[in-house]
Amino acid sequence: MTETTAETVPVVETPEDFRRMPEEYQELAIHQMMVHTEGELSGADDYLQVFFPIAPNAYERKVCCERAAEEIDHYMIGAAVLNDLGINTDHMLDQKLLERGLYASPAIHNIKTWTQRALFSYIGENAVLDHIEEMAKSSYRPWANSFGKVIRDEHVHVGHGRRIVREMLRDEAGREEVQQTLNAMWPFVLSLFGSDTSRRSPEYLRWGLRQRTNAEARDFFVARIVPELNRMGLTVPDQPAPQAPAQPEGPTHA
């Protein structure tokens, strides 16, 4: 384990090294891991309870079940890392979707249309994928090393949403519906990056648990996704940066 100074970021190789880190590091890392792990479990419930009932055909219902199974896998991966630190997450399994408070996301739970579902998977899960790719570089190496399968699966989730959106853009009525839904959903997507005034954001960077501030992460995502949307003939509304956390402070689920 590398000693921490103001100029260095620690590399924490094992659970034993983790327990020797300062309390601030442990609290921040555990908070991040708990939020993400709960979010993955809620992601499975979203696919089964929210997306499955509105799927337009048997194939898409099958895909919802497959995505839910992958989200459960992701929960189990996070739970295993936490378990090695002596933290049991079994209580999350006993909670109903709306009872989980670490990652509360009513905007996802209230999705009502297949267009909303498609855009959430395409751009919402795309935004969360940026968070996950940051965590894959975490200074806590067991956490960083746990994301290989998660990242591969999430690219598939994003690709599925993109494919549905492209299909909807083939006719004028579908294009209008996608654009209107994107206009309504865009503020929520930006809120996934948290508040620019988050107290945890700079501390995550200081300890190597993230690589970007909330504002930097949001700007990186916007610079990446907006040109892609523009090439599809879609535009995004102007939106000020969130100043109060519309989402919990820390990475969200995918």
Side-chain angles (χ1 to χ4, degrees):
M1 179 180 67
T2 303
E3 293 298 323
T4 305
T5 70
E7 291 77 31
T8 65
V9 170
V11 177
V12 184
E13 299 285 358
T14 67
E16 291 72 25
D17 289 340
F18 184 93
R19 295 185 185 98
R20 289 193 287 269
M21 290 297 291
E23 183 177 346
E24 181 185 39
Y25 180 92
Q26 294 188 45
E27 288 180 351
L28 286 166
I30 289 171
H31 175 81
Q32 183 187 69
M33 289 186 279
M34 290 288 285
V35 169
H36 175 78
T37 300
E38 182 190 271
E40 294 287 9
L41 184 60
S42 292
D45 285 343
D46 285 328
Y47 269 103
L48 292 178
Q49 298 178 28
V50 181
F51 302 160
F52 181 92
I54 61 175
N57 53 51
Y59 172 76
E60 292 294 358
R61 288 194 168 197
K62 175 187 174 183
V63 170
C64 286
C65 294
E66 292 171 346
R67 298 294 90 88
E70 289 161 358
E71 300 287 8
I72 287 287
D73 281 345
H74 303 170
Y75 160 77
M76 294 171 66
I77 289 167
V81 176
L82 285 161
N83 187 65
D84 287 343
L85 295 173
I87 300 170
N88 189 302
T89 62
D90 286 352
H91 66 280
M92 296 179 184
L93 297 168
D94 296 328
Q95 294 173 321
K96 292 181 171 59
L97 177 60
L98 298 181
E99 293 173 347
R100 300 189 192 114
L102 289 174
Y103 177 71
S105 188
I108 301 172
H109 310 329
N110 290 325
I111 283 176
K112 303 296 185 187
T113 72
W114 196 241
T115 307
Q116 291 173 329
R117 175 264 191 270
L119 277 169
F120 169 72
S121 290
Y122 175 26
I123 59 173
E125 293 196 72
N126 215 327
V128 174
L129 183 55
D130 280 357
H131 287 303
I132 291 172
E133 289 178 338
E134 280 195 67
M135 289 189 289
K137 300 174 184 176
S138 171
S139 58
Y140 183 45
R141 300 316 297 165
W143 185 238
N145 294 337
S146 73
F147 283 104
K149 180 183 186 301
V150 176
I151 289 173
R152 290 193 298 273
D153 287 347
E154 297 300 347
H155 277 289
V156 173
H157 297 194
V158 170
H160 182 222
R162 183 187 294 112
R163 188 261 298 166
I164 299 172
V165 169
R166 287 189 182 278
E167 289 177 353
M168 291 178 171
L169 294 176
R170 290 175 181 171
D171 62 69
E172 192 57 36
R175 178 173 294 277
E176 183 177 352
E177 182 176 356
V178 170
Q179 183 62 68
Q180 290 178 355
T181 303
L182 176 59
N183 292 345
M185 185 174 286
W186 187 246
F188 161 70
V189 172
L190 296 185
S191 81
L192 291 169
F193 294 93
S195 167
D196 289 359
T197 59
S198 163
R199 66 176 180 81
R200 285 194 181 98
S201 181
E203 298 306 315
Y204 282 132
L205 265 67
R206 185 166 75 88
W207 289 108
L209 298 168
R210 287 184 59 183
Q211 287 72 53
R212 303 183 184 98
T213 65
N214 288 347
E216 289 168 345
R218 187 187 311 108
D219 290 346
F220 176 84
F221 169 76
V222 169
R224 181 172 66 81
I225 199 68
V226 169
E228 184 174 320
L229 291 168
N230 292 163
R231 287 192 294 272
M232 297 166 72
L234 299 169
T235 60
V236 300
D238 293 333
Q239 181 69 23
Q243 294 303 312
Q247 293 290 117
E249 296 180 75
T252 57
H253 79 273

